[in-house]
Amino acid sequence: MMEIRNIAIIAHVDHGKTTLVDKILHATKVFRDNQDTGELIMDSNDLERERGITIFSKNASVTYKDVKINVIDTPGHADFGGEVERVLKMADGVCLLVDAFEGPMPQTRFVLQKALQLNLKPIVIINKVDKPNCRPDEVHDAVFELFFNLDASEEQLDFPTFYGSGKNGWFNDSLTQIDNINPLLDGILKYVPAPKVNEGPVQMQITSLDYSSFLGRIAVGKVARGVLKENQPIALMQAGGVIKKSRVKELYVFEGMGKKRVTEVVAGDLCAVVGIEDFNIGDTIADAENPEALPVISVDEPTMNMLFSINNSPFYGKDGKFVTSRHLRDRLMKETEKNLALRVKEAEGGGDSFLVYGRGILHLGILIETMRREGYELTVGQPQVIVKDVDGVRSEPYESLVVDVPQEFASKVIDLVTRRKGEMHVMETKGEMQHLEFEIPSRGLIGLRTQMLTATTGEAVMAHRFIAYKPWKGQIPGRNNGVLIAKSTEKTTAYSIDKLQDRGTFFVDPGEEVYAGQIIAENIKPGDLIVNATEGKKLTNHRASGSDDASRIAPKTLMTLEECMEYIQQDECIEVTPNFIRMRKVILDENERSKVQKSMKTEAV
């Protein structure tokens, strides 16, 4: 029987996880020498390719010196922490990647903490040692300090360290540059323990799920005990003590980038099981005669929610395939099956709105973007943080925010964060950069990234992670400027936009269809303004000299979905369809809006 090693690759976002997996795949000859594989092979999803980030964890398997190594590539963003927590259950060791310049970052701390709690064997890899200003020795000390602060055991503190550059394809146990990553692969075989196998009837926890249009839903996990065979009758053990009888139809193990069908899988190996109906992540596949459940996977709670509703704008149904509340409900429920950190419940006052709870703006934004590409139409409201009562005190989520910025912009960053109720805890110089650490309410992060990039000419690198619930910090200032709202439903004209340009920055181009109540520009002043951007020029046979110059219109400001989510206020929402993202007022009719505003003012008095 072949020896097995299960490793997960964990790191802060952009520290080189997926690039390292590429190098492992190439070094172990998964591909032919002349095969064109491109880069970031594991980022197979369109959204991952566009954004350059990993969103879904993925498995690959390689063979090195007759040992099978199952590699799990994990996301680095805090918003996808639920994905990381879940898949670490399949690993016996972790490769912790740390950038040789940036050192440990907030997400490094988060993923390492989860790995240490599961008692996984860590291997530290200090990556990007070819970067200018890198400081591998200082970073090594910082990593040791991080392990110590996270209460690592004596054994975990005695971690092996490798240095290298994923991009240039070398890793070594010293800073001497070589031309391959074999020392690292040897280190994985030496330091990562073989899977612990207990005696007894079969047990496997479902930690991930796959989908195939031919085979349906596929359960993925690590066989913890016994042997799983094709056609074997099994008991599916679910939360709340529910036990369902089922049978394994087909079994697959991971090989290279794909899967290989087998007749049996021994304890310690990762596998994919076909033929089980109605399973959820966290369920246990157990022996049919003596079923025993494994502990359920617990995932940190969501910190933010948004209201998802059907699209009720005048352009309803023009663009998408799935537009009804039934479509929306089915899709959201399907998402909760595999997205553990997501919660969905029906909103008060009707079945066409749902409150969706997630880990952050990116987490919810990726869900909306995926649905939009699948042909859904929906409207989403302003992201709200989840407020709890902790010992009778109104509390809100707080995050640790880390910003690396050139020194000349440090004061601007501090000013921006403190205005949003952030408190600075650390300020130190790293090369030419200033390293700042803050504690800030999660509410304060909404809309902060865009402002910070503008204030620092795009130079700031910010990252954040959830710490804990703490007492409510009071009012945080929102958007300073009002918006310009379309007066009628028609196509915009260059003539009108030209006349209105000194009033604000436009989000629409001439010739675009708009509707009454749609937000078409940002006002240069506070307060909202209703404007007519659809008026055509009256043509007469009189010409005035000099007044008939061609319109000179600045191109529209393009806003991504996440930027729109951070931009809108309480009385606004976003209409999302396969081809358009439009911001609008929740109440489209101008008279209705003013009635509601008056009644709210009266209540406040």
Side-chain angles (χ1 to χ4, degrees):
M1 194 184 93
M2 192 182 253
E3 270 196 73
I4 298 170
R5 299 286 185 273
N6 298 319
I7 59 157
I9 305 216
I10 58 173
H12 184 77
V13 64
D14 261 358
H15 279 197
K17 294 180 294 300
T18 307
T19 305
L20 170 63
V21 178
D22 284 4
K23 298 303 174 197
I24 292 175
L25 291 169
H26 283 298
T28 52
K29 299 282 188 281
V30 167
F31 306 107
R32 299 189 313 274
D33 289 342
N34 63 348
Q35 192 170 343
D36 179 24
T37 55
E39 289 184 339
L40 305 177
I41 305 157
M42 296 291 268
D43 284 350
S44 51
N45 179 290
D46 286 345
L47 273 176
E48 294 180 315
R49 287 224 166 267
E50 284 167 30
R51 292 167 185 246
I53 59 171
T54 302
I55 296 169
F56 307 104
S57 59
K58 298 179 200 62
N59 300 52
S61 165
V62 300
T63 306
Y64 178 71
K65 293 189 175 172
D66 294 332
V67 178
K68 179 179 183 181
I69 303 174
N70 286 314
V71 182
I72 306 161
D73 184 20
T74 64
H77 271 279
D79 285 20
F80 307 116
E83 192 83 8
V84 181
E85 289 171 65
R86 194 178 79 199
V87 295
L88 283 179
K89 286 263 184 156
M90 293 197 273
D92 300 294
V94 291
C95 288
L96 176 73
L97 255 84
V98 185
D99 186 300
F101 170 67
E102 290 182 354
M105 296 290 275
Q107 194 60 18
T108 316
R109 185 187 183 96
F110 172 82
V111 289
L112 179 61
Q113 187 173 10
K114 298 291 173 195
L116 294 178
Q117 282 167 0
L118 289 169
N119 211 14
L120 301 179
K121 176 70 184 169
I123 294 175
V124 173
I125 303 171
I126 295 178
N127 191 16
K128 307 190 183 183
V129 296
D130 53 330
K131 275 173 91 172
N133 296 334
C134 71
R135 22 185 214 107
D137 295 334
E138 280 177 53
V139 167
H140 181 267
D141 295 344
V143 172
F144 184 85
E145 202 170 304
L146 177 62
F147 270 80
F148 186 76
N149 292 340
L150 292 174
D151 295 331
S153 64
E154 294 263 333
E155 194 186 344
Q156 288 169 329
L157 279 171
D158 186 24
F159 54 83
T161 308
F162 291 85
Y163 301 88
S165 160
K167 193 176 171 190
N168 296 331
W170 69 273
F171 285 103
N172 201 353
D173 50 10
S174 67
L175 280 164
T176 315
Q177 184 165 347
I178 53 173
D179 59 0
N180 58 48
I181 65 164
N182 292 351
L184 173 61
L185 294 170
D186 291 330
I188 290 170
L189 302 191
K190 181 178 172 186
Y191 297 112
V192 175
K196 284 197 203 81
V197 176
N198 302 322
E199 290 301 310
V202 70
Q203 259 188 337
M204 171 184 141
Q205 186 156 44
I206 300 170
T207 46
S208 188
L209 65 85
D210 211 341
Y211 184 79
S212 150
S213 47
F214 299 108
L215 303 168
R217 292 171 75 222
I218 302 169
V220 179
K222 180 168 89 171
V223 180
R225 198 169 75 181
V227 179
L228 197 59
K229 296 179 180 173
E230 246 182 35
N231 288 322
Q232 179 178 347
I234 52 117
L236 181 70
M237 308 193 68
Q238 300 188 304
V242 180
I243 299 179
K244 293 180 183 170
K245 297 290 184 203
S246 190
R247 185 178 288 274
V248 175
K249 278 190 189 159
E250 294 177 17
L251 269 180
Y252 293 84
V253 292
F254 294 94
E255 188 173 77
M257 294 291 296
K259 299 187 187 82
K260 180 177 82 169
R261 190 168 173 182
V262 290
T263 52
E264 63 174 46
V265 180
V266 293
D269 205 353
L270 309 187
C271 72
V273 184
V274 175
I276 300 172
E277 298 291 320
D278 300 330
F279 65 83
N280 296 311
I281 287 173
D283 293 353
T284 303
I285 293 174
D287 188 67
E289 303 300 319
N290 307 307
E292 285 179 58
L294 287 160
V296 177
I297 301 172
S298 62
V299 172
D300 287 356
E301 288 294 304
T303 56
M304 198 169 271
N305 68 21
M306 284 175 83
L307 189 69
F308 282 46
S309 317
I310 58 168
N311 183 11
N312 59 1
S313 83
F315 296 165
Y316 158 83
K318 277 189 175 182
D319 209 19
K321 281 192 294 188
F322 308 110
V323 294
T324 65
S325 58
R326 184 176 58 82
H327 286 138
L328 189 58
R329 177 190 283 108
D330 292 351
R331 178 64 182 82
L332 290 173
M333 292 309 169
K334 188 176 153 201
E335 186 68 25
T336 55
E337 290 175 2
K338 63 175 188 288
N339 199 331
L340 277 198
L342 203 75
R343 309 262 188 287
V344 177
K345 71 177 191 189
E346 286 201 12
E348 293 169 13
D352 57 1
S353 297
F354 303 89
L355 273 175
V356 180
Y357 296 80
R359 278 281 180 86
I361 290 219
L362 189 64
H363 186 204
L364 293 165
I366 293 290
L367 168 63
I368 298 165
E369 182 64 38
T370 310
M371 287 172 68
R372 170 172 110 88
R373 291 178 182 209
E374 289 170 4
Y376 285 82
E377 276 194 21
L378 64 155
T379 52
V380 293
Q382 187 192 26
Q384 307 282 346
V385 298
I386 297 167
V387 181
K388 288 183 182 175
D389 246 26
V390 180
D391 303 329
V393 179
R394 189 185 185 204
S395 302
E396 62 175 326
Y398 275 66
E399 311 225 2
S400 159
L401 170 69
V402 174
V403 185
D404 284 316
V405 66
Q407 289 183 351
E408 66 263 30
F409 297 122
S411 59
K412 285 184 180 175
V413 170
I414 295 166
D415 178 48
L416 270 176
V417 178
T418 45
R419 261 195 258 159
R420 290 164 168 265
K421 304 279 194 246
E423 289 177 15
M424 186 161 71
H425 287 226
V426 176
M427 181 177 187
E428 57 191 28
T429 307
K430 279 189 184 177
E432 295 162 12
M433 305 287 268
Q434 201 74 24
H435 176 79
L436 310 167
E437 288 183 25
F438 303 90
E439 192 174 283
I440 183 172
S442 296
R443 285 180 300 144
L445 291 169
I446 299 174
L448 179 64
R449 184 180 296 275
T450 317
Q451 287 190 358
M452 192 175 286
L453 290 175
T454 309
T456 61
T457 63
E459 295 268 359
V461 177
M462 64 180 271
H464 53 88
R465 73 176 177 91
F466 170 69
I467 316 170
Y469 271 83
K470 295 189 179 183
W472 181 265
K473 254 287 177 79
Q475 197 63 37
I476 290 178
R479 190 176 72 204
N480 296 328
N481 297 12
V483 289
L484 304 186
I485 303 162
K487 187 178 182 180
S488 56
T489 305
E490 259 179 284
K491 282 189 176 176
T492 55
T493 62
Y495 173 73
S496 293
I497 290 179
D498 185 37
K499 295 278 181 284
L500 291 166
Q501 276 194 116
D502 54 349
R503 290 295 177 97
T505 317
F506 274 80
F507 304 136
V508 292
D509 274 334
E512 263 186 55
E513 280 203 53
V514 297
Y515 52 80
Q518 184 181 332
I519 295 169
I520 56 172
E522 180 175 69
N523 196 351
I524 53 168
K525 297 175 182 166
D528 298 343
L529 207 59
I530 292 162
V531 296
N532 184 358
T534 60
E535 191 181 12
K537 185 171 184 194
K538 301 285 180 284
L539 296 175
T540 66
N541 57 3
H542 293 289
R543 291 285 172 269
S545 63
S547 66
D548 278 346
D549 288 349
S551 305
R552 293 191 185 90
I553 295 173
K556 69 174 179 183
T557 305
L558 283 168
M559 302 260 280
T560 64
L561 178 61
E562 273 93 35
E563 283 170 343
C564 290
M565 286 161 71
E566 294 187 335
Y567 184 80
I568 58 172
Q569 298 296 299
Q570 188 108 29
D571 65 334
E572 296 163 0
C573 60
I574 309 165
E575 176 190 354
V576 181
T577 72
N579 296 312
F580 296 98
I581 295 172
R582 302 181 181 100
M583 291 184 286
R584 48 164 276 198
K585 290 289 180 183
V586 174
I587 301 167
L588 295 174
D589 184 71
E590 182 188 337
N591 299 326
E592 286 292 319
R593 261 202 316 275
S594 52
K595 274 184 203 166
V596 170
Q597 281 167 352
K598 276 176 192 165
S599 65
M600 283 169 73
K601 279 178 187 168
T602 318
E603 280 171 27
V605 171

